[in-house]
Amino acid sequence: MQQSLQATHRLRQSIARAAAALAATGADLPGRQEIEGLLAAAQQASALMDSMAQSDQDLSITCDPNGEVTSISAGCLATLGYEPMELAEGEYRRLVHPDDYATLRESLYNALSGTASTNVEGRFRHKDGTFVWLEWTITPLADGAGAYGIGRDITMYKQYERLLRESEQLYRALFEYSPDGVFTLDFEGNVITMNPACTQISGYQPHELIGQSLEQLLMPEHQAHAVAILHTVMQGEAQNFESAIHHRDGRVLYLHATLVPLVLEGTVVGVYGVVRDITERKHAEERLAHMAFHDPLTGLANRTLFIGRLDQLVTENVSNQPSFAILYLDLDDFKIVNDSLGHRTGDLLLVEAARRLKSCVSAGDTVARLGGDEFTVILEGTQDTDDAIAATHRILRELTRPYDIDGHKMVVTPSVGVVMGNQGDDAKELLRYADIAMYKAKQNGKARYEAFTPVMYNHVLQRLQLETDLRRAIEHREFRVLYQPIVELGTGEIVGVEALIRWEDPEHGVISPAQFIPLAEETGLILPIGRFVLEEACRQGRKWQETHPNLMVSVNLSARQFREPFLAEEIVQVLQETDMPPTLLQLEITESILMQESATTQETLRHLKALGIQLAMDDFGTGYSSLSYLKRFPIDVLKIDRSFVDGLGENPEDTALVRTVIQLAKALNLTVTGEGVETAEQIAQLRAMECERGQGYFFARPLTPKAIDELLVNGRNW
Ligand code: C2E
Ligand code: MG
Ligand code: MG
């Protein structure tokens, strides 16, 4: 009886453990179904056992002093499937399982020869051929009269004892061979048992971990969370969580843990845990997260992270005082490095620039690469513009130091825009301000910084507006071409006209080219505009040719147009379409075109020249080219800039300069035109210097074709 009670207790314990183990392991566990089956059977057996214990039937026998069974109770016979009188006395022996016969017999003789009761169990054949386990307590009768035995059907116990053994074996196997770490904790959260996988994962031997508290094993920042989890589990609720410990070799191990309460007879007595090493997955996740917020080339923060940090600062910065500064950097002419030395060198340069930039700021400052050669910095805790400027100087110095990239020595400068962190309540807006200031630094000559001012912002707005208007003007054909006479100084005859564009804006009236040509060049809108002027001037020139066969028409070309590879072809096409003789067309180019000095510039100029087109150098003296430089290009006409003509006769330096230019130009076989002639005195001077032609308000302002017609017809001579 005692044995059975112990078995019952152990069975219950085992059931609780198996249930906890099952709850904790994943669905992919090998043998899971088998365990589930066993568990269900064990639970059933346990229930049956309980009910049986309450309805114990009377099983008894008596034996004579020789050990022969003399009587057997009806309950006993019924248990074995027989009617009360069905068996004869001598047949009882047959009921005993042959393997158990000796044991039973020995127990019986022990009882007969002694005074105390003995316990024995054995199998007895049921009428249907199966065996029934009976447990006997055999007590000697007084005076050696034999013995009597009280029996009990323990077949069920035997069955679930077997189940128990099997399930314990299975549990053991699971515990020993599971690739997951399996352990149990006591109510205090200390490790009681652990399987070999725990050692494999953590590097610690059982004696190093058993007795340790789970909390202490975890990394400090994970401890509080684990304690809370453990508390919930102790309340009877299983939990999953992720945590980290130090491997015995010191590296950080990330673990996924499942903790399941170990419930025994309704009470939580401990915790059963399963852990899995998820370090690799964690690292992959970290890499992904890093990639989402960093620039892969330089490792700096990317735009998303930068704006995120800025957003945070803007919200924090509730006071009106600036508390941080933003720098916006763009490397000057980086494209040239990339194009001439290749992307690999370009990339290495960016990496080095990023490294230097980082070295200039504090560890807590955010440095980002927004893309291309654009970098941004947040200088935190910078309350004063002077501090921000000082930091900017440091950065400019550091980034301007010569670079040695793969053996290429080079100097690269940044242009920097600076804005303080109180000038906008929106992160993106602030970044835009910094960008505007950077743009201003570029405009003002590069390799420098500019601090943002609201005026800059207005300029940008105006520019944007102008660009929009300009696009609309092209679409609505709001342009007109005026012509300014060019006069032969020797004869006073009009030998040509210069086509000058006017924009007639319906809202703002006439806008001068000085106001919109630079923007049109920057945006590329000069291409359609230039084409329009050329067509218009050629069409008009062809008309004038009928009345004045030698009148030349001069058209301005911008540097941007010269970068187009098919400029010459386009001009040829216009000449053909308008039937304008090339020899009557003059193109005015500026020194900056020659400064581009690419192979295509030379080629285009020669091509145009070969067509018979005249080439004039406009605004001469305002650029940096010298006369000897001009020799290399097929130029026919030199137009001396208005600023020099202005001082003729009054400013001796200007007078000397104009004289020299005219003399040298003559030596180079160039025809000279004086621009911006406003007075008779200036004409007199130019004539004295044998300057061939003049152009300016003194003769006429830019005029409509009709007004030019009148001038030509009236044949006015100066
Ligand atoms: P530019 O080619 O040097 O043209 C001469 C400019 O000087 C014209 O200004 C003309 O009106 C002005 N001017 C002529 N004589 C006098 C004078 O006696 N006194 C003063 N104060 N000014 C005089 P405009 O028409 O305003 O053009 C300015 C510039 O815009 C031109 O300088 C040229 O560089 C550019 N431009 C004009 N039309 C075109 C065009 O169709 N295409 C291109 N690419 N540029 C153009
Ligand atoms: Mg011109
Ligand atoms: Mg000019």
Short mmCIF file of all heavy atoms in Angstrom, two decimals, residues 559-611:
data_model
loop_
_atom_site.label_atom_id
_atom_site.label_comp_id
_atom_site.label_asym_id
_atom_site.label_seq_id
_atom_site.Cartn_x
_atom_site.Cartn_y
_atom_site.Cartn_z
N ALA A 559 27.46 80.52 -72.27
CA ALA A 559 28.40 79.40 -72.05
C ALA A 559 27.66 78.07 -71.97
O ALA A 559 28.13 77.05 -72.43
CB ALA A 559 29.19 79.63 -70.77
N ARG A 560 26.48 78.14 -71.38
CA ARG A 560 25.70 76.91 -71.21
C ARG A 560 25.34 76.31 -72.56
O ARG A 560 25.38 75.10 -72.74
CB ARG A 560 24.43 77.26 -70.42
CG ARG A 560 23.47 76.13 -70.18
CD ARG A 560 24.07 75.15 -69.18
NE ARG A 560 23.14 74.07 -68.90
CZ ARG A 560 22.88 73.08 -69.71
NH1 ARG A 560 23.52 73.01 -70.87
NH2 ARG A 560 22.02 72.14 -69.40
N GLN A 561 25.03 77.19 -73.53
CA GLN A 561 24.70 76.70 -74.88
C GLN A 561 25.90 76.02 -75.52
O GLN A 561 25.76 75.07 -76.27
CB GLN A 561 24.23 77.87 -75.76
CG GLN A 561 22.81 78.31 -75.49
CD GLN A 561 22.49 79.61 -76.20
OE1 GLN A 561 22.94 80.67 -75.80
NE2 GLN A 561 21.74 79.51 -77.27
N PHE A 562 27.07 76.52 -75.15
CA PHE A 562 28.28 75.96 -75.74
C PHE A 562 28.59 74.56 -75.25
O PHE A 562 29.36 73.84 -75.88
CB PHE A 562 29.47 76.89 -75.47
CG PHE A 562 29.97 77.48 -76.73
CD1 PHE A 562 29.37 78.60 -77.26
CD2 PHE A 562 31.01 76.88 -77.43
CE1 PHE A 562 29.79 79.13 -78.46
CE2 PHE A 562 31.44 77.40 -78.63
CZ PHE A 562 30.83 78.53 -79.15
N ARG A 563 28.00 74.20 -74.13
CA ARG A 563 28.26 72.85 -73.62
C ARG A 563 27.40 71.81 -74.33
O ARG A 563 27.61 70.63 -74.17
CB ARG A 563 28.01 72.81 -72.10
CG ARG A 563 29.06 73.58 -71.31
CD ARG A 563 29.32 72.94 -69.97
NE ARG A 563 28.11 72.91 -69.15
CZ ARG A 563 27.76 73.90 -68.33
NH1 ARG A 563 28.51 74.97 -68.23
NH2 ARG A 563 26.67 73.82 -67.61
N GLU A 564 26.43 72.27 -75.12
CA GLU A 564 25.59 71.32 -75.86
C GLU A 564 26.39 70.74 -77.02
O GLU A 564 26.97 71.49 -77.81
CB GLU A 564 24.34 72.03 -76.40
CG GLU A 564 23.34 72.39 -75.33
CD GLU A 564 22.85 71.18 -74.57
OE1 GLU A 564 22.15 70.35 -75.16
OE2 GLU A 564 23.19 71.05 -73.37
N PRO A 565 26.42 69.43 -77.15
CA PRO A 565 27.28 68.83 -78.17
C PRO A 565 26.84 69.14 -79.60
O PRO A 565 27.66 69.13 -80.51
CB PRO A 565 27.20 67.34 -77.88
CG PRO A 565 25.99 67.15 -77.02
CD PRO A 565 25.78 68.42 -76.29
N PHE A 566 25.55 69.46 -79.83
CA PHE A 566 25.09 69.64 -81.21
C PHE A 566 24.76 71.10 -81.53
O PHE A 566 23.93 71.38 -82.39
CB PHE A 566 23.87 68.75 -81.49
CG PHE A 566 24.22 67.30 -81.35
CD1 PHE A 566 23.70 66.54 -80.31
CD2 PHE A 566 25.08 66.69 -82.26
CE1 PHE A 566 24.04 65.21 -80.18
CE2 PHE A 566 25.42 65.35 -82.14
CZ PHE A 566 24.90 64.60 -81.09
N LEU A 567 25.46 72.02 -80.82
CA LEU A 567 25.18 73.44 -81.02
C LEU A 567 25.38 73.85 -82.49
O LEU A 567 24.50 74.48 -83.09
CB LEU A 567 26.09 74.29 -80.11
CG LEU A 567 25.93 75.79 -80.31
CD1 LEU A 567 24.58 76.25 -79.77
CD2 LEU A 567 27.06 76.56 -79.66
N ALA A 568 26.51 73.46 -83.07
CA ALA A 568 26.80 73.86 -84.45
C ALA A 568 25.72 73.34 -85.41
O ALA A 568 25.24 74.08 -86.27
CB ALA A 568 28.18 73.34 -84.86
N GLU A 569 25.34 72.08 -85.23
CA GLU A 569 24.31 71.49 -86.08
C GLU A 569 23.00 72.25 -85.96
O GLU A 569 22.30 72.50 -86.95
CB GLU A 569 24.06 70.02 -85.70
CG GLU A 569 25.13 69.05 -86.19
CD GLU A 569 26.37 69.05 -85.30
OE1 GLU A 569 26.47 69.90 -84.37
OE2 GLU A 569 27.25 68.21 -85.54
N GLU A 570 22.70 72.66 -84.74
CA GLU A 570 21.46 73.37 -84.50
C GLU A 570 21.48 74.73 -85.23
O GLU A 570 20.49 75.14 -85.83
CB GLU A 570 21.30 73.59 -83.00
CG GLU A 570 19.86 73.53 -82.55
CD GLU A 570 19.76 73.83 -81.06
OE1 GLU A 570 20.69 73.47 -80.31
OE2 GLU A 570 18.76 74.45 -80.67
N ILE A 571 22.63 75.38 -85.15
CA ILE A 571 22.75 76.69 -85.81
C ILE A 571 22.61 76.54 -87.33
O ILE A 571 21.90 77.32 -87.98
CB ILE A 571 24.09 77.36 -85.42
CG1 ILE A 571 24.06 77.72 -83.92
CG2 ILE A 571 24.35 78.62 -86.26
CD1 ILE A 571 25.36 78.20 -83.35
N VAL A 572 23.25 75.51 -87.84
CA VAL A 572 23.14 75.25 -89.28
C VAL A 572 21.67 75.06 -89.66
O VAL A 572 21.19 75.60 -90.66
CB VAL A 572 23.97 73.99 -89.67
CG1 VAL A 572 23.64 73.56 -91.10
CG2 VAL A 572 25.45 74.27 -89.51
N GLN A 573 20.97 74.30 -88.83
CA GLN A 573 19.56 74.03 -89.09
C GLN A 573 18.75 75.33 -89.13
O GLN A 573 17.94 75.54 -90.03
CB GLN A 573 19.04 73.10 -88.00
CG GLN A 573 17.73 72.43 -88.36
CD GLN A 573 17.12 71.76 -87.13
OE1 GLN A 573 17.68 71.83 -86.03
NE2 GLN A 573 15.99 71.13 -87.32
N VAL A 574 19.00 76.22 -88.17
CA VAL A 574 18.27 77.49 -88.11
C VAL A 574 18.59 78.34 -89.35
O VAL A 574 17.70 78.94 -89.95
CB VAL A 574 18.61 78.25 -86.81
CG1 VAL A 574 18.01 79.66 -86.84
CG2 VAL A 574 18.11 77.49 -85.59
N LEU A 575 19.87 78.36 -89.73
CA LEU A 575 20.27 79.14 -90.92
C LEU A 575 19.53 78.63 -92.16
O LEU A 575 19.06 79.42 -92.98
CB LEU A 575 21.78 79.03 -91.14
CG LEU A 575 22.65 79.82 -90.14
CD1 LEU A 575 24.13 79.46 -90.32
CD2 LEU A 575 22.46 81.32 -90.33
N GLN A 576 19.42 77.30 -92.25
CA GLN A 576 18.74 76.73 -93.41
C GLN A 576 17.25 77.06 -93.39
O GLN A 576 16.68 77.46 -94.39
CB GLN A 576 18.95 75.22 -93.45
CG GLN A 576 20.33 74.86 -93.98
CD GLN A 576 20.66 73.40 -93.80
OE1 GLN A 576 19.89 72.66 -93.17
NE2 GLN A 576 21.79 72.98 -94.34
N GLU A 577 16.66 76.88 -92.23
CA GLU A 577 15.22 77.11 -92.12
C GLU A 577 14.85 78.56 -92.43
O GLU A 577 13.80 78.82 -93.00
CB GLU A 577 14.75 76.76 -90.71
CG GLU A 577 14.46 75.28 -90.52
CD GLU A 577 14.22 74.94 -89.05
OE1 GLU A 577 13.97 75.87 -88.24
OE2 GLU A 577 14.29 73.76 -88.73
N THR A 578 15.71 79.49 -92.03
CA THR A 578 15.37 80.91 -92.21
C THR A 578 15.98 81.46 -93.50
O THR A 578 15.76 82.62 -93.84
CB THR A 578 15.88 81.73 -91.02
OG1 THR A 578 17.29 81.49 -90.89
CG2 THR A 578 15.18 81.36 -89.74
N ASP A 579 16.82 80.64 -94.15
CA ASP A 579 17.47 81.06 -95.38
C ASP A 579 18.38 82.26 -95.16
O ASP A 579 18.50 83.16 -95.99
CB ASP A 579 16.40 81.36 -96.45
CG ASP A 579 17.00 81.46 -97.84
OD1 ASP A 579 18.07 80.83 -98.05
OD2 ASP A 579 16.42 82.17 -98.68
N MET A 580 19.01 82.29 -94.01
CA MET A 580 19.90 83.40 -93.64
C MET A 580 21.33 83.04 -94.07
O MET A 580 21.82 81.97 -93.75
CB MET A 580 19.83 83.58 -92.12
CG MET A 580 20.86 84.51 -91.54
SD MET A 580 20.38 86.23 -91.83
CE MET A 580 21.54 87.04 -90.75
N PRO A 581 22.00 83.94 -94.82
CA PRO A 581 23.39 83.63 -95.20
C PRO A 581 24.31 83.61 -93.98
O PRO A 581 24.28 84.57 -93.19
CB PRO A 581 23.78 84.79 -96.12
CG PRO A 581 22.54 85.57 -96.35
CD PRO A 581 21.55 85.24 -95.30
N PRO A 582 25.10 82.59 -93.78
CA PRO A 582 25.95 82.49 -92.58
C PRO A 582 26.91 83.67 -92.45
O PRO A 582 27.22 84.09 -91.33
CB PRO A 582 26.73 81.19 -92.80
CG PRO A 582 26.02 80.45 -93.86
CD PRO A 582 25.23 81.43 -94.66
N THR A 583 27.32 84.21 -93.57
CA THR A 583 28.30 85.30 -93.50
C THR A 583 27.73 86.57 -92.87
O THR A 583 28.47 87.43 -92.43
CB THR A 583 28.80 85.65 -94.91
OG1 THR A 583 27.65 85.73 -95.77
CG2 THR A 583 29.76 84.61 -95.44
N LEU A 584 26.40 86.66 -92.81
CA LEU A 584 25.80 87.84 -92.18
C LEU A 584 25.45 87.62 -90.71
O LEU A 584 24.91 88.49 -90.05
CB LEU A 584 24.54 88.26 -92.96
CG LEU A 584 24.83 88.82 -94.35
CD1 LEU A 584 23.53 89.26 -95.02
CD2 LEU A 584 25.82 89.99 -94.27
N LEU A 585 25.76 86.43 -90.24
CA LEU A 585 25.50 86.14 -88.82
C LEU A 585 26.79 86.28 -88.02
O LEU A 585 27.85 85.79 -88.42
CB LEU A 585 24.95 84.72 -88.65
CG LEU A 585 24.67 84.30 -87.20
CD1 LEU A 585 23.53 85.13 -86.59
CD2 LEU A 585 24.32 82.82 -87.13
N GLN A 586 26.68 87.01 -86.91
CA GLN A 586 27.81 87.10 -85.98
C GLN A 586 27.35 86.52 -84.65
O GLN A 586 26.24 86.77 -84.21
CB GLN A 586 28.23 88.55 -85.82
CG GLN A 586 29.32 88.74 -84.77
CD GLN A 586 29.82 90.18 -84.73
OE1 GLN A 586 30.46 90.68 -85.65
NE2 GLN A 586 29.48 90.86 -83.66
N LEU A 587 28.21 85.71 -84.04
CA LEU A 587 27.87 85.14 -82.71
C LEU A 587 28.79 85.76 -81.68
O LEU A 587 30.01 85.81 -81.88
CB LEU A 587 28.01 83.62 -82.73
CG LEU A 587 27.04 82.88 -83.67
CD1 LEU A 587 27.37 81.40 -83.73
CD2 LEU A 587 25.59 83.09 -83.22
N GLU A 588 28.19 86.24 -80.58
CA GLU A 588 29.00 86.85 -79.52
C GLU A 588 29.18 85.83 -78.40
O GLU A 588 28.21 85.29 -77.86
CB GLU A 588 28.29 88.09 -78.96
CG GLU A 588 28.10 89.15 -80.03
CD GLU A 588 27.66 90.50 -79.46
OE1 GLU A 588 27.62 90.64 -78.22
OE2 GLU A 588 27.37 91.40 -80.27
N ILE A 589 30.43 85.58 -78.12
CA ILE A 589 30.70 84.64 -77.01
C ILE A 589 31.48 85.38 -75.93
O ILE A 589 32.03 86.46 -76.19
CB ILE A 589 31.50 83.41 -77.48
CG1 ILE A 589 32.83 83.84 -78.08
CG2 ILE A 589 30.68 82.61 -78.50
CD1 ILE A 589 33.74 82.68 -78.42
N THR A 590 31.50 84.82 -74.75
CA THR A 590 32.21 85.48 -73.65
C THR A 590 33.49 84.72 -73.33
O THR A 590 33.67 83.59 -73.75
CB THR A 590 31.34 85.53 -72.37
OG1 THR A 590 30.95 84.19 -72.09
CG2 THR A 590 30.11 86.38 -72.56
N GLU A 591 34.33 85.39 -72.55
CA GLU A 591 35.62 84.77 -72.21
C GLU A 591 35.43 83.45 -71.47
O GLU A 591 36.23 82.54 -71.61
CB GLU A 591 36.44 85.74 -71.35
CG GLU A 591 36.98 86.90 -72.15
CD GLU A 591 37.45 88.02 -71.24
OE1 GLU A 591 36.60 88.75 -70.69
OE2 GLU A 591 38.67 88.13 -71.06
N SER A 592 34.34 83.36 -70.72
CA SER A 592 34.13 82.13 -69.93
C SER A 592 34.00 80.90 -70.84
O SER A 592 34.35 79.80 -70.44
CB SER A 592 32.90 82.28 -69.04
OG SER A 592 31.76 82.41 -69.84
N ILE A 593 33.52 81.11 -72.05
CA ILE A 593 33.42 79.98 -72.98
C ILE A 593 34.80 79.46 -73.33
O ILE A 593 35.06 78.26 -73.32
CB ILE A 593 32.65 80.39 -74.26
CG1 ILE A 593 31.18 80.64 -73.92
CG2 ILE A 593 32.79 79.32 -75.34
CD1 ILE A 593 30.35 81.13 -75.07
N LEU A 594 35.69 80.40 -73.57
CA LEU A 594 37.06 79.99 -73.91
C LEU A 594 37.73 79.35 -72.71
O LEU A 594 38.56 78.46 -72.85
CB LEU A 594 37.87 81.18 -74.39
CG LEU A 594 37.30 81.93 -75.60
CD1 LEU A 594 38.32 82.93 -76.12
CD2 LEU A 594 36.91 80.97 -76.71
N MET A 595 37.37 79.84 -71.52
CA MET A 595 37.97 79.29 -70.30
C MET A 595 37.57 77.83 -70.11
O MET A 595 38.29 77.08 -69.46
CB MET A 595 37.56 80.10 -69.07
CG MET A 595 37.90 81.57 -69.15
SD MET A 595 39.66 81.88 -69.27
CE MET A 595 40.03 82.15 -67.56
N GLN A 596 36.42 77.44 -70.61
CA GLN A 596 36.00 76.03 -70.48
C GLN A 596 37.01 75.15 -71.21
O GLN A 596 37.29 74.03 -70.81
CB GLN A 596 34.61 75.80 -71.10
CG GLN A 596 33.49 76.36 -70.27
CD GLN A 596 32.13 76.21 -70.96
OE1 GLN A 596 32.00 75.57 -72.01
NE2 GLN A 596 31.11 76.80 -70.36
N GLU A 597 37.49 75.69 -72.31
CA GLU A 597 38.60 75.13 -73.06
C GLU A 597 38.57 73.62 -73.26
O GLU A 597 39.56 72.95 -73.16
CB GLU A 597 39.92 75.48 -72.37
CG GLU A 597 40.92 75.95 -73.39
CD GLU A 597 42.35 75.74 -72.93
OE1 GLU A 597 42.66 76.11 -71.78
OE2 GLU A 597 43.10 75.21 -73.73
N SER A 598 37.41 73.12 -73.52
CA SER A 598 37.36 71.69 -73.79
C SER A 598 37.59 71.48 -75.28
O SER A 598 37.56 72.42 -76.07
CB SER A 598 36.00 71.14 -73.37
OG SER A 598 35.03 71.64 -74.23
N ALA A 599 37.81 70.25 -75.65
CA ALA A 599 38.06 69.93 -77.06
C ALA A 599 36.85 70.33 -77.90
O ALA A 599 36.99 70.82 -79.02
CB ALA A 599 38.35 68.45 -77.20
N THR A 600 35.65 70.16 -77.33
CA THR A 600 34.45 70.47 -78.10
C THR A 600 34.33 71.97 -78.37
O THR A 600 33.83 72.37 -79.42
CB THR A 600 33.16 69.99 -77.39
OG1 THR A 600 33.32 70.22 -76.01
CG2 THR A 600 32.86 68.54 -77.67
N THR A 601 34.80 72.83 -77.41
CA THR A 601 34.73 74.28 -77.62
C THR A 601 35.51 74.65 -78.88
O THR A 601 34.99 75.33 -79.78
CB THR A 601 35.33 75.03 -76.41
OG1 THR A 601 34.73 74.53 -75.23
CG2 THR A 601 35.12 76.51 -76.52
N GLN A 602 36.75 74.19 -78.92
CA GLN A 602 37.61 74.44 -80.09
C GLN A 602 36.93 73.97 -81.37
O GLN A 602 36.85 74.70 -82.36
CB GLN A 602 38.92 73.64 -79.93
CG GLN A 602 39.87 74.26 -78.97
CD GLN A 602 40.86 75.17 -79.70
OE1 GLN A 602 40.66 75.49 -80.88
NE2 GLN A 602 41.90 75.60 -78.99
N GLU A 603 36.42 72.75 -81.29
CA GLU A 603 35.84 72.13 -82.47
C GLU A 603 34.61 72.90 -82.95
O GLU A 603 34.46 73.18 -84.14
CB GLU A 603 35.44 70.71 -82.09
CG GLU A 603 35.35 69.76 -83.27
CD GLU A 603 35.02 68.38 -82.77
OE1 GLU A 603 35.80 67.85 -81.94
OE2 GLU A 603 33.95 67.86 -83.16
N THR A 604 33.73 73.25 -81.98
CA THR A 604 32.52 73.98 -82.33
C THR A 604 32.87 75.32 -82.97
O THR A 604 32.30 75.71 -84.00
CB THR A 604 31.64 74.20 -81.08
OG1 THR A 604 31.45 72.96 -80.44
CG2 THR A 604 30.30 74.81 -81.44
N LEU A 605 33.85 76.01 -82.37
CA LEU A 605 34.24 77.33 -82.91
C LEU A 605 34.76 77.18 -84.34
O LEU A 605 34.40 77.96 -85.23
CB LEU A 605 35.29 77.97 -82.01
CG LEU A 605 34.79 78.51 -80.66
CD1 LEU A 605 35.95 79.02 -79.82
CD2 LEU A 605 33.78 79.63 -80.89
N ARG A 606 35.59 76.18 -84.55
CA ARG A 606 36.15 75.97 -85.91
C ARG A 606 35.05 75.62 -86.91
O ARG A 606 35.05 76.10 -88.04
CB ARG A 606 37.20 74.87 -85.88
CG ARG A 606 38.45 75.35 -85.22
CD ARG A 606 39.65 74.47 -85.37
NE ARG A 606 40.62 74.88 -84.36
CZ ARG A 606 41.27 76.04 -84.37
NH1 ARG A 606 41.07 76.90 -85.37
NH2 ARG A 606 42.10 76.36 -83.41
N HIS A 607 34.14 74.80 -86.43
CA HIS A 607 33.01 74.40 -87.27
C HIS A 607 32.21 75.63 -87.71
O HIS A 607 31.91 75.83 -88.89
CB HIS A 607 32.13 73.42 -86.48
CG HIS A 607 31.07 72.75 -87.30
ND1 HIS A 607 30.41 71.62 -86.87
CD2 HIS A 607 30.56 73.04 -88.52
CE1 HIS A 607 29.54 71.26 -87.79
NE2 HIS A 607 29.62 72.11 -88.80
N LEU A 608 31.90 76.49 -86.74
CA LEU A 608 31.10 77.69 -87.01
C LEU A 608 31.86 78.62 -87.96
O LEU A 608 31.30 79.18 -88.90
CB LEU A 608 30.77 78.41 -85.71
CG LEU A 608 29.86 77.64 -84.74
CD1 LEU A 608 29.73 78.37 -83.41
CD2 LEU A 608 28.47 77.47 -85.37
N LYS A 609 33.14 78.74 -87.66
CA LYS A 609 34.01 79.61 -88.47
C LYS A 609 34.03 79.12 -89.93
O LYS A 609 33.92 79.91 -90.88
CB LYS A 609 35.41 79.56 -87.86
CG LYS A 609 36.43 80.36 -88.59
CD LYS A 609 36.29 81.82 -88.22
CE LYS A 609 37.23 82.62 -89.10
NZ LYS A 609 36.86 84.02 -89.11
N ALA A 610 34.13 77.81 -90.06
CA ALA A 610 34.19 77.21 -91.40
C ALA A 610 32.91 77.47 -92.19
O ALA A 610 32.93 77.54 -93.41
CB ALA A 610 34.45 75.71 -91.28
N LEU A 611 31.81 77.65 -91.48
CA LEU A 611 30.54 77.94 -92.15
C LEU A 611 30.49 79.37 -92.67
O LEU A 611 29.59 79.74 -93.43
CB LEU A 611 29.38 77.73 -91.18
CG LEU A 611 29.06 76.29 -90.78
CD1 LEU A 611 28.07 76.28 -89.63
CD2 LEU A 611 28.49 75.53 -91.98
#
